[in-house]
Amino acid sequence: MSTTAADPIIAKHRAAQAWKLHCSSHPRIRSTLGTWTNSTAADGTPMLSCRVTGPDARDALQSWARDHTLFLSSDGDQRPTFDYSVPGRVTCVWRTGGVWIEMWHPDTPKPTPAIVAALVASRTSPGILRRFSPSGRLPITRTRKERTK
């Protein structure tokens, strides 16, 4: 019995191995792949879907899509692209060997670093000029004009 490249099991194995290789070469990545689900795409071809979980899922998926070497060996193969059509979900989708593969993570806002939050808070608080003038634009001067006779 021979296996073909359109086999979803082979495509899943290749994608999982590529993710594992990417994570081992980038030790700062702490995200993992969840369970795989099989379905059928709109064009009738097999589709595999997997959620990327972890604290840096957004950055990990972006670096994987940017750095992953994908060989387009079959007609209809496509490079990884990001899809935002499903609300609340960022999906990296590509086609290899006649199988659609998507890795996704929830679309949550990127956390603001503490230093940026502190800078924004300091800009919204009244500054030193606010203490000296009612408008906060110019300091009030205390010089008095002397009358000359």
Side-chain angles (χ1 to χ4, degrees), residues 9-139:
I9 295 171
I10 293 173
K12 178 174 108 174
H13 177 71
R14 287 180 182 165
Q17 289 293 57
W19 181 264
K20 191 176 184 180
L21 178 66
H22 180 70
C23 291
S24 67
S25 63
H26 295 84
R28 64 177 172 77
I29 294 177
R30 300 179 314 258
S31 295
T32 58
L33 296 179
T35 58
W36 290 88
T37 58
N38 294 328
S39 62
T40 305
D43 62 356
T45 58
M47 178 177 226
L48 298 169
S49 180
C50 181
R51 179 178 176 175
V52 179
T53 59
D56 56 351
R58 173 191 307 262
D59 297 330
L61 192 57
Q62 286 177 354
S63 71
W64 185 86
R66 180 185 59 239
D67 299 338
H68 174 62
T69 303
L70 180 66
F71 297 105
L72 305 176
S73 57
S74 301
D75 291 338
D77 285 357
Q78 294 183 3
R79 300 221 17 98
T81 58
F82 282 95
D83 179 22
Y84 301 92
S85 62
V86 178
R89 184 170 161 172
V90 176
T91 306
C92 178
V93 62
W94 71 98
R95 184 175 174 173
T96 181
V99 178
W100 285 101
I101 301 175
E102 64 178 13
M103 291 184 193
W104 62 275
H105 65 83
D107 188 17
T108 56
K110 195 169 186 175
T112 306
I115 190 145
V116 173
L119 285 173
V120 169
S122 70
R123 300 235 180 211
T124 58
S125 64
I128 192 166
L129 292 179
R130 184 77 174 162
R131 287 185 249 152
F132 294 113
S133 76
S135 68
R137 298 178 76 192
L138 298 172

